[in-house]
Amino acid sequence: MLEELTGLRDKMTSRFAAKCFAIAGSLLLLVCLGRTAYLEHIVAPDTTSCDGHLPPVTQTKDQDALMADGTLQLLAVWPTQAAINHHVCIVVGGVVPQAAEVNLADGINWARKARDGAQASFEAASGSARDTAWNTLQAADTALQKALTAAAAQPQPVTLSVFLNGKTAPGLTVQAHTTSGQQALLFWLKVPNDAGESGATFWRELLSGQLTSGDKSLADEGSAKVGQKALVIGLSRSATTMPDTTSATITVIVYDLMTLAVGTLSLVCFAVSFCGLARQTTMLRDNKRTRNDAQIATDALTAAQTADQDAKAKLEEAVDAATTAKTSADDAHSAVAKATDDAAKAAATEAAANAAAASGRAQAAVVAATTAASDAANSLKAAQAMAVEAAKTGNVEQPVGPYSLARTQMAFWMFLTVTGFIFIWLTMGIYLGLITGGILVLLGINATSGMAAISLSDGSDESSTTDSFFLDILSDGKGPVLHRIQAVAWTCILGILFIWNVVWSFTFVNFDTNLLLLVGVAQSMYVGFKWKEAPAAP
């Protein structure tokens, strides 16, 4: 009965704790979202223009020569630390050779000189030669106008492909002016919100794994911390396998450690709150059986009062018996002293020894009875205190049915999929196409086996009670059984694989057919054996 009182106290405590953890989880989640927005807009601000952000860039003589020859150069980048789905400014040079610009200017100068010469010839000509000079002047004037028009026209921009860590970024290009000098360009580190697009796959592969620089020299310089990735930017005039230039590095913030810690703590609070809710309701139970708190406390108080009265009565009896035994022992010792012959003295001595032993046993009984009376008194005090608390809470029904393995598995995968979805959404911005076919099949297997197991339990077991969570999900009513242990083992293994892929690769793992068949076999064995399981003793 003392165990029932302790359980009642724990249930009332867990009810309050579940509410506290739910509130704490909500507040921490708001802090996580707020910190994410702060880091994106304050610590790593986005920009839509390079004006006023890039400092003056000085170039070496070697760079001047390379740019004049039309060798593409990446001179500067801003900011050096950016977030996913933000813009980056770069300064490039050598988009086209300087000779192309010089040839265009030379063509204008040649056309102008030819036109001036034709004008002079026309003015100096006379007679029939004047008509020929006039035609030459008209042709020179037309050539000059064409050269000026060509120089004034806006040349077609040059499309530059962007490389990140030596790999072509799908859909990531910049439009550059046809000039050999410096120019500022803006491009977008955009991750598609659909996981099925090639760009999303590229970014997940690029940022997956150890979130530090893939280049050892960059890692040695400490250019990226945990939760960040150092990316080497390269440019090319075409989507080739290698960039034309590689000389600028930025650090991409995938997630902030403090924000991740707050978000993880929020999820832990929600998980604890959910566990408290599961403990107080029949949500994860095999049956709907409940017990009344006030009735439990009343029964426990009645039992404690009866036990206290019995212990006091037994103590009084033990004290009386000890007193009688002490008197008998004293009389036996007196008889030994009064004995006159050896036979009488021996008999008296034996009687005295027996009386002393009886007195010792009586004293031990008194000690035991005293201890039992003390324990009964303490139990009575605890029962009285719990009865008072139960009266305050009112007639609350508490579930006492065993925990269901099938319901627990459904709750387990619900929590993992929701958590994984939120993590990838907040870190990568991907929220479409995340749920894979393998995950849907796995959820379907658990839902089907869960419905079958629940229907069996609800229809045949209305009397069993819980032992403990782990014993309930692993036991068939008599003890742990292999088919339940197998189902739990594969659920844990697939859960670990799921978490690993979400955190490490930002993707929902697509379990293969054989693995899903194995899970289906394990769940089928569980359902098949369940209808023969003996309910736990009430």
Side-chain angles (χ1 to χ4, degrees):
M1 197 59 67
L2 181 60
E3 294 178 355
E4 290 184 349
L5 288 172
T6 303
L8 175 60
R9 181 182 58 192
D10 292 342
K11 289 172 183 176
M12 289 189 295
T13 303
S14 65
R15 184 182 298 112
F16 176 74
K19 294 179 181 179
C20 292
F21 276 108
I23 295 173
S26 301
L27 294 177
L28 288 172
L29 183 60
L30 291 177
V31 172
C32 180
L33 295 175
R35 185 173 174 84
T36 300
Y38 169 77
L39 291 175
E40 286 189 358
H41 298 286
I42 304 298
V43 177
D46 195 12
T47 182
T48 56
S49 174
C50 297
D51 297 337
H53 295 303
L54 286 164
V57 180
T58 57
Q59 54 204 46
T60 64
K61 293 182 179 180
D62 292 339
Q63 289 176 327
D64 287 338
L66 291 172
M67 290 166 55
D69 291 339
T71 301
L72 195 59
Q73 297 292 300
L74 188 52
L75 304 174
V77 60
W78 182 90
T80 57
Q81 187 177 75
I84 295 175
N85 295 317
H86 281 198
H87 290 83
V88 175
C89 292
I90 56 175
V91 176
V92 300
V95 175
V96 295
Q98 190 176 21
E101 298 176 319
V102 173
N103 290 338
L104 185 63
D106 289 345
I108 295 174
N109 291 333
W110 180 86
R112 183 173 283 111
K113 289 180 180 179
R115 197 261 183 201
D116 292 341
Q119 178 71 31
S121 298
F122 173 73
E123 293 176 355
S126 59
S128 59
R130 191 174 180 82
D131 293 335
T132 303
W134 171 255
N135 293 332
T136 302
L137 176 61
Q138 291 298 315
D141 189 65
T142 300
L144 177 59
Q145 293 300 322
K146 288 182 178 179
L148 292 173
T149 301
Q154 182 69 29
Q156 291 295 324
V158 178
T159 300
L160 301 179
S161 298
V162 179
F163 288 73
L164 298 175
N165 283 358
K167 299 179 181 179
T168 307
L172 189 56
T173 59
V174 289
Q175 302 295 319
H177 300 298
T178 53
T179 177
S180 63
Q182 293 184 11
Q183 56 180 304
L185 305 176
L186 184 72
F187 66 90
W188 193 7
L189 298 176
K190 179 173 176 55
V191 179
N193 56 22
D194 191 340
E197 296 186 17
S198 60
T201 303
F202 167 81
W203 278 102
R204 287 189 297 189
E205 292 177 353
L206 182 69
L207 301 178
S208 64
Q210 182 62 35
L211 291 178
T212 55
S213 172
D215 189 323
K216 187 176 185 303
S217 62
L218 293 173
D220 292 339
E221 295 175 3
S223 55
K225 301 176 182 179
V226 176
Q228 303 175 0
K229 187 95 172 187
L231 300 181
V232 180
I233 301 177
L235 297 173
S236 176
R237 294 184 180 87
S238 61
T240 58
T241 57
M242 293 294 293
D244 293 342
T245 178
T246 301
S247 60
T249 303
I250 63 171
T251 300
V252 174
I253 302 174
V254 182
Y255 57 76
D256 173 66
L257 279 181
M258 182 61 68
T259 306
L260 180 65
V262 173
T264 303
L265 187 59
S266 171
L267 293 175
V268 170
C269 289
F270 281 125
V272 173
S273 177
F274 181 83
C275 291
L277 179 64
R279 186 180 182 184
Q280 300 157 24
T281 65
T282 59
M283 180 173 58
L284 297 183
R285 309 278 181 159
D286 263 336
N287 59 42
K288 305 296 183 181
R289 185 177 180 185
T290 59
R291 288 189 298 195
N292 187 278
D293 288 348
Q295 186 61 46
I296 293 174
T298 301
D299 294 344
L301 179 59
T302 302
Q305 290 172 342
T306 302
D308 182 63
Q309 293 173 358
D310 292 342
K312 289 179 179 178
K314 290 180 179 179
L315 177 59
E316 292 177 357
E317 292 176 0
V319 171
D320 293 340
T323 302
T324 303
K326 182 67 170 59
T327 302
S328 299
D330 293 340
D331 292 342
H333 282 293
S334 300
V336 171
K338 294 178 181 179
T340 57
D341 54 24
D342 293 338
K345 191 170 185 177
T349 300
E350 183 179 358
N354 292 335
S359 178
R361 289 192 295 270
Q363 292 295 331
V366 170
V367 173
T370 302
T371 302
S374 177
D375 292 341
N378 292 333
S379 298
L380 179 59
K381 291 180 180 179
Q384 291 171 341
M386 293 305 297
V388 172
E389 294 296 329
K392 293 179 180 179
T393 59
N395 294 328
V396 179
E397 296 289 333
Q398 290 290 348
V400 293
Y403 287 95
S404 168
L405 173 58
R407 296 174 190 252
T408 301
Q409 286 178 315
M410 288 191 291
F412 176 79
W413 283 110
M414 178 201 71
F415 186 79
L416 284 191
T417 51
V418 171
T419 302
F421 187 93
I422 293 175
F423 175 77
I424 296 177
W425 170 46
L426 291 181
T427 54
M428 298 288 291
I430 301 174
Y431 56 88
L432 298 177
L434 276 179
I435 309 299
T436 62
I439 292 296
L440 290 176
V441 172
L442 181 64
L443 294 175
I445 292 173
N446 280 277
T448 303
S449 61
M451 286 187 291
I454 290 169
S455 63
L456 289 173
S457 298
D458 289 345
S460 61
D461 180 16
E462 294 293 341
S463 60
S464 60
T465 57
T466 181
D467 291 324
S468 67
F469 174 75
F470 289 106
L471 283 178
D472 288 344
I473 66 173
L474 297 177
S475 174
D476 63 349
K478 297 179 180 179
V481 289
L482 183 59
H483 59 274
R484 283 177 171 263
I485 294 175
Q486 179 177 244
V488 171
W490 280 113
T491 298
C492 293
I493 291 172
L494 295 187
I496 292 172
L497 291 176
F498 178 87
I499 295 172
W500 177 268
N501 279 272
V502 167
V503 175
W504 201 253
S505 302
F506 307 102
T507 182
F508 277 24
V509 61
N510 194 14
F511 297 114
D512 61 42
T513 303
N514 290 335
L515 191 56
L516 292 173
L517 287 175
L518 178 61
V519 175
V521 170
Q523 294 297 105
S524 299
M525 291 177 62
Y526 159 63
V527 174
F529 280 102
K530 185 173 178 60
W531 72 277
K532 289 187 176 181
E533 291 180 355

